Amino acid sequence: MGKPRVVMLAGPGDVTPMLYHELSARYGALPVVMESPMSRVDFLRRRARRMGWLKVGHQSLFQTAVAPALRRRGRRRIEELLRTHELRRDPIPESQIIAVPSVNSEEARAALRELNPEVVVISATRIVSKATLGCIAAPFINLHTGITPYYRGVHGGYWALHQGEPERFGVTVHLVDAGIDTGAILAQRVIEPSRDDNFATYPYLQFAHGVSMVAGAVEGLLTGDQPRWRAPAVSGGLWSHPTVLSYLRGRRRGVR
């Protein structure tokens, strides 16, 4: 078997199998360098160092008390999106998975060097370090559920609606650099959510449009036909998880 043209650098998450099956339909079975999930305690500690325990506590309350109810309410809409856009969530074949402790581990870098692909697709990982990004010459690309550079970080579509900017609800495919969602844009699309969508379904609506965009960007990079452009320089735009209070403020303005 020759070297793979495309490799995924991934973490567990619903979008990872969707991307895998979309790409494997075009390029055949491809290796997935899969990191172990970060422990909840470590995740909270890291976030608290940046934002403080008070805010992180309020965010955790939203994630445990509000988000599950929204997901239950949006279950039918999520299934509709998956069916309509023919997105697959069945597991990635175990034979294609290379397990590593972290995408920033030496094990991950060694796997990438050995595979030596032409393109690396990132999915649902922690922030990728400069050492990992620089370990091979291939471009790393990412599907971001927001319009960069205005809504970087997490839940970009939700925050665009929350801030009264529905024209910036969408998805971006971009090159990955040392910043957070700051790499050159490869593709971008504005999407209009329906009345059936809410906080829990927004990402699936964005995945539904974005998965094929990633495949298109990969093809363009492999052929050399992929246009790139640098996002305009703007200040701010890095968003985090909502709290119960911020969600209720959005609800009063009609944001589900």
Side-chain angles (χ1 to χ4, degrees), residues 13-206:
D14 278 359
V15 72
T16 295
M18 295 180 201
L19 282 169
Y20 175 84
H21 291 299
E22 179 76 18
L23 294 170
S24 64
R26 299 189 184 210
Y27 303 107
L30 56 140
V32 181
V33 180
M34 180 77 75
E35 71 173 2
S36 299
M38 187 185 298
S39 75
R40 181 70 175 167
V41 172
D42 287 344
F43 176 74
L44 292 175
R45 282 176 178 165
R46 288 191 179 192
R47 196 190 297 174
R49 283 198 291 268
R50 298 195 315 270
M51 295 182 291
W53 279 108
L54 181 61
K55 184 170 183 178
V56 168
H58 284 292
Q59 289 176 330
S60 296
L61 181 61
F62 174 83
Q63 292 293 336
T64 57
V66 179
L70 293 173
R71 188 176 178 88
R72 286 193 297 272
R73 190 179 304 168
R75 187 176 298 139
R76 184 175 298 178
R77 172 62 171 161
I78 291 170
E79 293 302 322
E80 175 192 20
L81 288 167
L82 295 173
R83 183 176 62 255
T84 302
H85 292 266
E86 299 181 337
L87 297 174
R88 292 173 56 187
R89 284 193 296 181
D90 47 302
I92 297 169
E94 289 290 335
S95 60
Q96 299 308 120
I97 295 176
I98 301 169
V100 296
S102 162
V103 294
N104 298 320
S105 64
E106 185 52 42
E107 293 93 328
R109 291 190 284 272
L112 289 172
R113 291 188 195 104
E114 182 176 353
L115 293 165
N116 194 27
E118 296 176 53
V119 179
V120 178
V121 176
I122 294 176
S123 174
T125 69
R126 65 197 78 189
I127 296 171
V128 183
S129 69
K130 290 182 182 179
T132 296
L133 294 174
C135 75
I136 56 174
F140 290 66
I141 72 171
N142 179 59
L143 171 61
H144 172 62
T145 51
I147 296 293
T148 62
Y150 307 99
Y151 290 93
R152 299 181 295 116
V154 295
H155 306 299
Y158 168 77
W159 286 116
L161 299 177
H162 192 281
Q163 297 301 108
E165 294 187 310
E167 71 279 7
R168 289 181 177 155
F169 182 104
V171 288
T172 302
V173 181
H174 64 91
L175 293 175
V176 179
D177 60 15
I180 300 176
D181 303 323
T182 54
I185 295 169
L186 302 177
Q188 200 167 67
R189 181 177 298 168
V190 173
I191 307 165
E192 183 177 357
S194 76
R195 292 182 61 83
D196 295 327
D197 286 306
N198 66 25
F199 176 85
T201 72
Y202 295 146
Y204 291 90
L205 176 62
Q206 292 165 297

